[in-house]
Amino acid sequence: MRSQIWVGDVVQALEVARTDDERARVLEMLGFVPALVLRRVTDDAPFAGPQGPRTPPPVGTRPPEREREPDQDVLPGFHDDQEAPTSGGTVELPLLQPIRVEALHAPREPAEPLPRPTAERAPLPLLPLFVPGWTSAIVRAMVSRQVPEGAVDIASLIDTLAHGRPVHRLPRLPVPTMRYGVQILVDRSTGMQPFRRDQNELLEHFRAVVGPELVEVGYFSGVPQHGTGPGGRWTRTAYVPPEPGRPVLLLSDLGLGGPPEDPVRGTRKDWEHFVGLVTRAGCGVVALSPYPPRRWPRWMTRLLPLVSWDRTTTASRAAVRLP
């Protein structure tokens, strides 16, 4: 068979042909069957040519042998003295006989059926911004405050006695404590939308390390002065600083991300007003930013302590001295 003609083309052509002779001629023109075999196939069928209809040879006689043209061959698997079997004008190839038949063994244990597809979408795996093994230590370092409640400060006591000053109270070494709790303000603006799952996961870490009764959570968009609340926008009211001594943690980019034309985006003046409001209440404030330090403007680093929210942050880098 030629490479330009496919079996489908031959089948379509045979459906159009009306007689066996036409089918044989179609096969010969398409080059699907050698001409010698086609002649042998069509010899038994009458053909109306220029000399009139062809009559079959009498019974018991053999048609005269035809000379084979030099450019024609016989089908492979047949000799010159063999007739190619035909069926409906097409050549039938010999069937292959199987060498052996192997029995199919059923599995001993039935396979479990696949679960039915559901419309529920499984959430993609989350790669936290902090190293998971360091998160608890980072949380303690950011929330802890230093209080003079440790062992007696021997060096300070000797210095006081050496100068002849009275000792009204034994000096003690500072130790960290988390009993003051923390107020966490979560920024839900457009710039922090890619980090929403990280915010939710970090809140669970704070509740587990500090204690759920000591963690106060407030949500805002842009700046806390626009409204802060424990839930959606309908729960947000005017921001109120926490009790004195409780640190304030911002999970925000401080306006670095998001579209510049965002009407709720906080400006430098807005953040300066917020920091002043918190410090006057006797609380310290620190921001956890998902952007690298090279993106922080100078006014931001001077305004409040910033901690980089990425995998390079360790507990020692996250330790911020709060008042």
Side-chain angles (χ1 to χ4, degrees), residues 90-310:
T90 59
V91 178
E92 295 183 356
L93 299 179
L95 297 178
L96 299 178
Q97 299 297 330
I99 299 177
R100 64 179 183 273
V101 178
E102 297 181 357
L104 298 178
H105 299 283
R108 296 181 179 179
E109 298 180 359
E112 296 183 0
L114 297 176
R116 291 186 177 181
T118 60
E120 299 179 359
R121 296 182 179 180
L124 297 176
L126 175 65
L127 183 62
L129 296 178
F130 283 149
V131 178
W134 301 350
T135 305
S136 298
I138 294 174
V139 168
R140 293 189 184 94
M142 296 185 65
V143 177
S144 299
R145 290 189 56 187
Q146 299 293 331
V147 293
E149 297 178 357
V152 177
D153 190 354
I154 302 298
S156 178
L157 181 59
I158 293 176
D159 182 74
T160 301
L161 296 176
H163 287 80
R165 295 191 296 265
V167 179
H168 300 286
R169 187 173 56 181
L170 290 177
R172 295 186 176 274
L173 296 174
V175 292
T177 180
M178 295 186 297
R179 68 169 180 262
Y180 293 96
V182 62
Q183 183 188 63
I184 303 178
L185 301 179
V186 184
D187 191 354
R188 294 299 198 186
S189 58
T190 307
M192 290 296 295
Q193 187 174 3
F195 311 101
R196 185 158 298 183
R197 292 180 62 186
D198 296 277
Q199 291 175 339
N200 298 336
E201 183 177 351
L202 191 60
L203 287 177
E204 297 301 324
H205 279 284
F206 273 96
R207 292 189 178 100
V209 174
V210 183
E213 66 281 354
L214 296 177
V215 177
E216 178 186 355
V217 180
Y219 299 92
F220 69 95
S221 296
V223 289
Q225 299 93 298
H226 294 165
T228 305
R233 296 180 181 272
W234 60 89
T235 64
R236 300 175 186 177
T237 57
Y239 172 72
V240 178
E243 58 186 10
R246 172 167 291 188
V248 177
L249 175 63
L250 287 169
L251 303 183
S252 172
D253 59 353
L254 303 182
L256 290 179
E261 300 82 9
D262 192 355
V264 299
R265 185 176 184 177
T267 61
R268 174 180 178 178
K269 184 177 180 180
D270 295 332
W271 288 112
E272 290 176 350
H273 176 264
F274 169 76
V275 173
L277 183 66
V278 173
T279 54
R280 286 192 298 269
C283 304
V285 58
V286 59
L288 193 60
S289 176
Y291 292 94
R294 65 177 181 273
R295 295 280 305 273
W296 300 343
R298 183 171 299 180
W299 67 265
M300 194 176 295
T301 56
R302 293 179 177 178
L303 182 62
L304 75 167
L306 289 173
V307 177
S308 182
W309 194 359
D310 56 20

